[in-house]
Amino acid sequence: MDKVVKSAERVLRTFEYLAEQRRPVRVSDVSRELQIPQSSTSQLLQSLVSLGYLYREPRGRTYSPTLRVSVLGDWLVQRDSESQNPLRLMHAIRRVTGDAVVLGIQNNTHALYISVLEAMGPLRFYMKPGSLRPLCRTAIGLALLLEKTDAEIRLLVRRINAERRTGEPLEETASVLDAVGRSRKIGYVVTHGKATSGAGVVAVPLPPVEAQPRMALGIGAPLVRIDRYAEAYGELLKDMATERWRPASYYGIAHNDEGGRR
């Protein structure tokens, strides 16, 4: 990741942590998450209280986001239809499947998970928002590669290999191009255990959204569900991304909160 201003990173990670927890948090909670001293954390949270983005409950000494936080991105979600709004589309997909839904973008040579909806049922897949993975090692990243030329993919693989950490394996350009080619034929990507052991993801690139980077959308689930419903997941994602709405029963996916393994 490119260098970032430390104070800005702490503010944004605080909001991401609050979104993940969905409950009031204490100074000690945020300090542990950000891995910074409690004194620095207290100053950070108090600054956000003074600016109106957090509320401090005096008795419990806990902090919660105020509605001012939601106003920041409110204009992004005021779109005419679910298909034009990836965040609403994520909720629509989860209503059909009950599985986790992941939205990602490209960040240099990585896929960046910008939003994750947790599964509704007992069989869980979870990827933390803000996580980074090399583009060619995840379904979201490979889905983003579907929109690129082979020459662009070769360049990215060279950069990924050049920037890899000690102990990380080299990516083979031929293997990446082969995976992309097979996925282009069916219109979606399927991975098994690449980012999370015991789980897989089915993903598609989304059509361009005005003033936004290219995005990819995926359904994450334990391998038992990926093995059974990969094709149905792929068709569902393609249909919703292209505004082709069908009844949920068309896809034959047993909802995750109904037992999941059926």
Side-chain angles (χ1 to χ4, degrees):
M1 181 187 293
D2 293 337
K3 291 184 66 176
V4 297
V5 177
K6 187 173 294 186
S7 57
E9 180 188 16
R10 288 176 176 176
V11 170
L12 295 175
R13 285 185 60 197
T14 297
F15 285 130
E16 288 177 345
Y17 178 65
L18 285 163
E20 179 183 337
Q21 295 299 307
R22 294 179 176 269
R23 60 172 176 80
V25 298
R26 297 178 181 275
V27 170
S28 58
D29 298 327
V30 180
S31 173
R32 185 166 50 251
E33 173 68 16
L34 301 186
Q35 296 184 332
I36 60 175
Q38 289 199 22
S39 58
S40 300
T41 305
S42 181
Q43 292 176 358
L44 169 63
L45 297 180
Q46 189 53 50
S47 295
L48 293 173
V49 170
S50 298
L51 291 169
Y53 290 106
L54 294 183
Y55 168 71
R56 182 178 184 273
E57 202 287 312
R59 292 186 178 180
R61 297 181 180 179
T62 57
Y63 294 82
S64 302
T66 69
L67 290 178
R68 189 176 184 191
V69 175
S70 65
V71 172
L72 291 175
D74 188 56
W75 63 280
L76 288 173
V77 297
Q78 299 303 316
R79 305 211 181 242
D80 294 332
S81 68
E82 286 186 322
S83 61
Q84 294 174 309
N85 187 302
L87 299 179
R88 293 180 182 173
L89 190 59
M90 291 175 71
H91 285 277
I93 291 169
R94 189 173 65 166
R95 284 197 298 270
V96 174
T97 68
D99 292 302
V101 186
V102 186
L103 181 68
I105 61 173
Q106 181 179 346
N107 185 322
N108 292 323
T109 58
H110 291 78
L112 171 64
Y113 297 89
I114 60 174
S115 184
V116 178
L117 293 181
E118 290 192 56
M120 300 170 70
L123 298 180
R124 296 290 182 110
F125 163 94
Y126 182 68
M127 178 64 69
K128 186 175 182 179
S131 297
L132 284 167
R133 297 289 185 275
L135 281 168
C136 52
R137 295 179 195 162
T138 66
I140 291 294
L142 288 168
L144 291 166
L145 293 183
L146 298 187
E147 301 298 303
K148 298 185 182 297
T149 66
D150 286 358
E152 290 173 321
I153 294 172
R154 289 189 184 95
L155 179 60
L156 280 166
V157 173
R158 285 200 294 270
R159 288 183 59 195
I160 289 169
N161 284 332
E163 297 171 6
R164 77 188 192 282
R165 296 177 180 176
T166 302
E168 289 186 338
L170 282 168
E171 297 296 333
E172 295 184 4
T173 302
S175 297
V176 176
L177 288 173
D178 180 63
V180 170
R182 284 185 278 107
S183 296
R184 282 175 178 154
K185 291 179 181 178
I186 59 176
Y188 57 87
V189 174
V190 183
T191 60
H192 296 76
K194 274 187 171 287
T196 304
S197 178
V201 177
V202 179
V204 299
L206 291 179
V209 175
E210 184 179 358
Q212 294 294 309
R214 290 304 298 264
M215 291 176 272
L217 190 61
I219 298 171
L223 291 180
V224 65
R225 285 180 62 80
I226 293 293
D227 290 341
R228 185 176 183 86
Y229 298 122
E231 184 176 353
Y233 286 152
E235 293 305 313
L236 170 64
L237 287 165
K238 288 194 298 181
D239 285 350
M240 288 197 168
T242 56
E243 304 184 53
R244 186 177 184 178
W245 300 92
R246 301 179 191 265
S249 58
Y250 172 84
Y251 301 98
I253 300 171
H255 200 277
N256 195 0
D257 68 0
E258 297 173 356
R261 295 181 182 274
R262 294 178 301 164

